Amino acid sequence: MRLFDRDDVEMHDIVRLVSSDVALSSQLLALANSPLFAVQTSIRDLQHAITVLGIDRTKALSTTLPCAAF
């Protein structure tokens, strides 16, 4: 959680952390591809999914989704 709270956090650091939890990564990809975000193409890359969701939403999901092991 400290990583998310840093002002100077790099996207690749967040991607590396989130990718260490396969279940969370899968759920974030599913959410980014949901009709809620109305993306035109399929999102297959975790960095793209986090960009679509945003860092704040990714942080919130990582603490609330039952699979999150942070």
Side-chain angles (χ1 to χ4, degrees), residues 25 29 32-33 41-49:
S25 298
L29 284 166
N33 281 296
T41 60
S42 180
I43 297 173
R44 296 188 179 132
D45 178 71
L46 189 56
Q47 181 168 342
H48 188 191

Side-chain angles (χ1 to χ4, degrees), residues 5 8 15 18-21 30 43 54 62-63 69-70:
D5 292 334
D8 62 340
V15 171
V18 171
S19 68
S20 68
D21 187 324
I43 297 173
S62 70
T63 60
F70 292 104

Side-chain angles (χ1 to χ4, degrees), residues 7-50:
D7 290 334
D8 62 340
V9 66
E10 299 280 338
M11 178 63 78
H12 63 83
D13 292 330
I14 292 173
V15 171
R16 188 177 63 235
L17 178 64
V18 171
S19 68
S20 68
D21 187 324
V22 176
L24 176 60
S25 298
S26 174
Q27 288 191 353
L28 290 177
L29 284 166
L31 181 61
N33 281 296
S34 74
L36 179 65
F37 293 95
V39 293
Q40 298 298 317
T41 60
S42 180
I43 297 173
R44 296 188 179 132
D45 178 71
L46 189 56
Q47 181 168 342
H48 188 191
I50 292 172

